[in-house]
Amino acid sequence: MLKGHLNMEKAGIRVLREHNMAKTRKSAQSGAGEEMDGIVIEKVSPEVDGGKFPAKCIVGEMVTVEADIFKDGHDVLGACIKFKKKSDEGWDESPMTFFDNDRWRGTFVPQANTRYLYTLEAWMDRLLTWARDTEKKCLGKVDIKSDILEGIGFVKAMAKSASEGDKPKIDLLIKNLKLAQDQPEKVLALIRDQNFLKLMAKYPLKEHLTAYDKTLEMVVDRSCAEFGAWYELFPRSQGKIPNKSATFKDCIARIPDIKKMGFDIIYLTPIHPIGLTNRKGPNNTLNADRNAPGSPWAIGSELGGHKAIHPELGTMKDFEDYVRAARENGMEIALDIAFQCSPDHPYAKEHPEWFYHLPDGTIRYAENPPKKYEDIYPLDFNCADRQALWDEMKSIIVFWIEKGVKIFRVDNPHTKPLSFWKWLIDGVQKDHPETIFFAEAFTRPKVMKYLAKSGFTQSYTYFTWRNAKAELRQYFEELTQTDMKDYYRGNLFANTPDILHEFLQTGGRPAFQIRLVLAATLSSSYGIYSGFELCENKAKAPASEEYLDSEKYQYKVWDWNRADHIKEFIAKVNQIRASNPALQLYKNLEFHHSSNEAILCYGKRTRDNGNMVVVTVNLDPFRVQEDQICLPLWKFGIEDWQTYQVHDLLNNKKYSWKGPSNYVRLDPQVTPAHIFLIKK
């Protein structure tokens, strides 16, 4: 009997050896012009432009990777994600599983704010293939003696990579296989045994090992790259004395009010000295009087440039005190970066070669025909001395990082070379991975997308001009449900110093509440420009999106508690965002059915359905709207016959609903939206 067992073992080992030798011969016979048959790995996601650019995620986020993986024949395949920090030597592995039509899926969780690399491997698993086929034969009552011999050989091969603790389990398995060779029911029990299944998963017998032909990169950002509420302000307008600039000390005094509204990030317009030459006056007049403060974007004077602070605001120490005060209140300061100069900027004298020149030798002003910006010189990023210019621009960012600023809103990045931004952002984040870059580019869609691919952490969107139900749904499904989600994070600003949309000009207080709820819940990052909380809606002209008496060109004193403000409403919405993890995620947006064209219904859920939020918004600021909204209860883990609770977090009312279709009524003069927390 023992001799028989030994012969069986030798036969099984011989089968495995012959298979490996055949595989080696096939590899050796493949010529330089002949591709060896193997496993196909294609259509990997996320993969931005074929791996040219990195995808984006957040520290601690579960990254889902998918791919089509297949080969000829019916062998059982295995696959895994290989991932590591870019600076590490060795790779970690995470298994992938088949889920549909040769599509495989796996996950990994980056744990550090840095750059990661990832790729895929696939293989034919000889032992799993054997187990599957032998199970079928056992069920079909086919003779399996030779299959047992083959299987023992495969199990012995698996034992070579097993830990010392697992080897006794494998020895017992081999013994039991030998004893059960004539008993298909026992072999079937062994193959289906959980211990055997765990061993096969732990020590896959990999053949035809195939590596994906690309190593992909991922930028892993800190959490506020995805979740945050931004408040934009002009520092010089935070005081109480008319026709006089506020200081950073005045800005510190405003922090509690901004904090009370629930904002995370205070975004400052430029804080640098402002040029005198061709300074713009109130409402963008060309000939300013000597007391006009000018546009903060006309950067630079004899007092300094991009690394200096306007003396009316205070000193560098005052600014650092402001950054510190914000941090102590749980907020960060974001700084506006505009790579352009006033004619009085030191660069214009020290480096005239960095600018565009007219035929007569003078430096050219900035233009966007028919507009002309006589107070600004654009920089020539492709000048003969471009490397020195690029290095200087990078040094500006590093300078403010050293002063405590980690977030930069970049003005008009689409007017600079796209390659410049990739170079600058890659270089800065190599040493300062916590740095966030926000692209202010209201331009053509493909340019906006390319800027995001080139490294911008967040981007402005067309949200301001999307007001109808159909266009909102179409646009946000593109942002969050297509491949854009892998590289483009839309930050929704309800207004900006340049954009006062007609909807806000004409819709009154309800319009501001509507746009606030949409911005705060359609995306995980949103912002307002100060004055929004006061429902400021005076335009320069009926057909204009420019504010009347804009802060861009004059000092302004605000009454932050004037009648009919919506500060409490904003605070409530921000508190709801802070309390519901589903609203802190970007890619989980789902639209739900409503037949009324004035009611938009959508929701967000965490991966485990532990937090489920449904939002309904009346897009009509003038009239009451009502409808039956329909929810996909099967996604929520709720049966159609079950009763479930919806808690309106805006008014604290609770309702019991049953079935997918339920009634809503929204009065814009009361509250134009519901933010429902769904509970089973």
Side-chain angles (χ1 to χ4, degrees):
M1 187 69 180
L2 180 59
K3 182 177 179 181
H5 283 314
L6 290 173
N7 289 336
M8 287 168 55
E9 290 178 32
K10 290 177 181 178
I13 294 170
R14 183 172 64 252
V15 169
L16 182 61
R17 185 184 299 121
E18 287 175 354
H19 171 79
N20 288 335
M21 289 174 66
K23 182 178 71 172
T24 304
R25 284 195 300 270
K26 184 174 182 180
S27 177
Q29 290 167 1
S30 296
E34 181 183 349
E35 183 178 349
M36 186 182 73
D37 288 341
I39 298 171
V40 176
I41 304 175
E42 62 181 13
K43 295 185 180 178
V44 175
S45 171
E47 182 181 300
V48 182
D49 284 10
K52 181 179 179 181
F53 299 104
K56 294 185 176 78
C57 76
I58 300 297
V59 172
E61 175 186 345
M62 183 179 290
V63 177
T64 299
V65 181
E66 294 186 2
D68 289 349
I69 301 175
F70 57 90
K71 72 178 291 291
D72 58 282
H74 302 285
D75 298 310
V76 177
L77 302 183
C80 72
I81 308 165
K82 297 177 73 70
F83 65 98
K84 67 169 186 170
K85 294 179 189 175
K86 194 172 183 179
S87 58
D88 286 351
E89 292 294 328
W91 294 82
D92 291 320
E93 290 188 4
S94 181
M96 301 183 76
T97 57
F98 169 90
F99 71 94
D100 181 51
N101 192 23
D102 288 322
R103 193 72 176 162
W104 290 66
R105 178 185 292 156
T107 62
F108 71 98
V109 181
Q111 299 289 356
N113 175 203
T114 185
R115 302 269 174 132
Y116 272 69
L117 299 178
Y118 63 102
T119 189
L120 307 181
E121 279 188 354
W123 57 88
M124 190 274 281
D125 193 309
R126 178 59 63 183
L127 186 54
L128 277 174
T129 302
W130 170 85
R132 181 204 60 191
D133 293 344
T134 303
E135 181 179 16
K136 291 179 180 179
K137 291 179 181 180
C138 289
L139 293 171
K141 298 182 179 180
V142 176
D143 181 74
I144 57 169
K145 289 182 180 178
S146 62
D147 298 279
I148 296 298
L149 299 178
E150 185 180 34
I152 290 172
F154 294 147
V155 173
K156 282 183 169 292
M158 177 179 68
K160 293 178 181 179
S161 58
S163 68
E164 290 300 319
D166 285 333
K167 284 183 177 178
K169 300 176 187 176
I170 295 175
D171 290 340
L172 179 60
L173 174 63
I174 292 170
K175 178 181 177 182
N176 289 333
L177 282 171
K178 292 174 183 177
L179 294 173
Q181 60 173 312
D182 295 321
Q183 303 174 68
E185 68 282 357
K186 289 189 177 181
V187 173
L188 193 60
L190 288 170
I191 290 172
R192 291 175 172 177
D193 184 77
Q194 286 298 315
N195 290 325
F196 182 37
L197 295 175
K198 289 177 182 178
L199 286 169
M200 287 193 293
K202 192 173 182 179
Y203 306 111
L205 206 56
K206 300 179 180 181
E207 297 187 16
H208 290 299
L209 184 65
T210 303
Y212 187 47
D213 60 5
K214 297 171 187 172
T215 298
L216 306 172
E217 187 171 354
M218 181 162 287
V219 177
V220 183
D221 291 305
R222 57 195 179 102
S223 61
C224 77
E226 180 164 295
F227 174 65
W230 293 53
Y231 184 86
E232 178 180 2
L233 60 80
F234 283 73
R236 70 188 185 191
S237 296
Q238 306 308 301
K240 299 179 180 179
I241 303 175
N243 300 314
K244 183 178 180 180
S245 174
T247 67
F248 284 123
K249 292 180 181 179
D250 295 315
C251 293
I252 290 174
R254 275 224 65 215
I255 285 178
D257 188 43
I258 299 169
K259 176 67 176 177
K260 189 176 180 180
M261 286 188 285
F263 289 97
D264 311 299
I265 297 164
I266 302 175
Y267 151 43
L268 311 182
T269 57
I271 59 175
H272 316 295
I274 298 170
L276 289 171
T277 300
N278 299 326
R279 178 176 282 190
K280 297 296 182 72
N283 289 305
N284 202 18
T285 55
L286 296 179
N287 298 310
D289 65 44
R290 60 184 297 169
N291 295 318
S295 167
W297 285 273
I299 296 170
S301 74
E302 62 181 10
L303 299 173
H306 286 74
K307 298 176 184 176
I309 285 179
H310 198 302
E312 289 184 350
L313 295 173
T315 65
M316 187 64 73
K317 182 182 182 302
D318 292 332
F319 173 73
E320 291 174 324
D321 288 344
Y322 181 44
V323 173
R324 188 179 306 109
R327 188 182 303 116
E328 289 170 353
N329 280 272
M331 293 185 285
E332 286 194 59
I333 297 299
L335 195 60
D336 194 300
I337 292 293
F339 286 152
Q340 59 197 31
C341 303
S342 93
D344 306 318
H345 196 294
Y347 291 158
K349 292 181 179 179
E350 298 168 4
H351 296 283
E353 70 278 7
W354 288 355
F355 299 88
Y356 296 94
H357 292 263
L358 296 171
D360 63 4
T362 59
I363 297 176
R364 191 180 80 191
Y365 293 114
E367 290 184 272
N368 183 16
K371 293 181 179 180
K372 190 171 184 177
Y373 304 95
E374 297 89 349
D375 56 343
I376 292 173
Y377 284 162
L379 290 157
D380 180 2
F381 282 81
N382 288 311
C383 65
D385 194 29
R386 84 170 204 168
Q387 191 58 56
L389 171 59
W390 287 26
D391 288 339
E392 178 64 14
M393 296 302 102
K394 179 182 174 184
S395 77
I396 293 170
I397 301 294
V398 173
F399 175 87
W400 291 106
I401 289 174
E402 291 172 349
K403 300 299 179 184
V405 178
K406 306 295 184 181
I407 305 175
F408 299 92
R409 179 270 198 187
V410 178
D411 189 69
N412 284 332
H414 55 289
T415 61
K416 286 80 178 173
L418 299 171
S419 58
F420 165 73
W421 294 116
K422 179 165 176 51
W423 172 86
L424 181 138
I425 295 172
D426 283 355
V428 170
Q429 289 186 339
K430 181 178 180 181
D431 298 320
H432 305 281
E434 72 283 4
T435 310
I436 291 170
F437 291 89
F438 180 19
E440 185 267 346
F442 295 115
T443 184
R444 303 183 306 282
K446 292 178 182 177
V447 177
M448 293 171 69
K449 292 177 183 180
Y450 203 92
L451 285 164
K453 293 173 186 176
S454 297
F456 277 95
T457 316
Q458 293 187 352
S459 304
Y460 277 82
T461 70
Y462 299 140
F463 167 69
T464 313
W465 300 280
R466 300 292 186 268
N467 290 273
K469 178 177 178 176
E471 62 187 9
L472 280 164
R473 179 164 183 165
Q474 181 277 327
Y475 185 51
F476 280 92
E477 284 181 340
E478 179 188 8
L479 287 175
T480 64
Q481 306 305 317
T482 69
D483 64 343
M484 281 186 73
K485 70 182 184 299
D486 296 327
Y487 62 86
Y488 197 103
R489 295 194 190 105
N491 188 328
L492 311 185
F493 263 71
N495 67 328
T496 78
D498 302 302
I499 306 169
L500 174 63
H501 192 273
E502 180 187 7
F503 189 85
L504 296 178
Q505 294 179 35
T506 60
R509 177 188 173 97
F512 283 82
Q513 292 178 312
I514 289 166
R515 297 302 290 179
L516 189 282
V517 171
L518 289 171
T521 58
L522 283 168
S523 178
S524 50
S525 287
Y526 89 103
I528 63 170
Y529 155 54
S530 59
F532 185 95
E533 69 269 40
L534 306 178
C535 301
E536 177 69 23
N537 66 350
K538 297 182 179 68
K540 185 177 177 181
S544 172
E545 290 185 343
E546 284 278 341
Y547 282 88
L548 179 66
D549 300 327
S550 171
E551 291 180 275
K552 292 191 291 184
Y553 309 108
Q554 64 188 67
Y555 299 122
K556 200 157 188 172
V557 174
W558 292 93
D559 175 4
W560 299 111
N561 293 300
R562 77 187 190 194
D564 213 31
H565 66 73
I566 59 169
K567 292 165 64 174
E568 285 82 6
F569 184 81
I570 293 171
K572 185 65 175 177
V573 171
N574 281 333
Q575 183 272 324
I576 291 170
R577 281 165 46 89
S579 302
N580 288 275
L583 295 176
Q584 299 168 23
L585 304 175
Y586 180 72
K587 304 173 188 177
N588 61 339
L589 179 65
E590 298 176 289
F591 286 93
H592 306 314
H593 176 73
S594 66
S595 57
N596 186 332
E597 286 304 305
I599 291 182
L600 185 69
C601 183
Y602 54 93
K604 291 192 167 191
R605 298 175 290 127
T606 53
R607 186 184 291 262
D608 62 357
N609 279 353
N611 184 231
M612 299 184 290
V613 176
V614 170
V615 183
T616 59
V617 183
N618 181 355
L619 303 177
D620 179 356
F622 305 107
R623 287 168 287 275
V624 174
Q625 298 290 342
E626 53 191 356
D627 195 16
Q628 293 284 127
I629 62 168
C630 188
L631 303 180
L633 295 184
W634 73 92
K635 293 184 178 181
F636 300 171
I638 299 173
E639 299 290 342
D640 285 357
W641 54 265
Q642 287 182 298
T643 299
Y644 54 99
Q645 185 186 87
V646 293
H647 178 192
D648 188 346
L649 301 174
L650 282 173
N651 61 22
N652 204 32
K653 292 182 179 179
K654 297 179 180 179
Y655 310 90
S656 291
W657 283 4
K658 186 175 182 179
S661 184
N662 287 275
Y663 172 78
V664 295
R665 182 180 186 275
L666 292 164
D667 184 345
Q669 300 305 318
V670 180
T671 305
H674 294 303
I675 303 179
F676 290 128
L677 178 65
I678 308 295
K679 291 188 176 181
K680 300 178 185 180

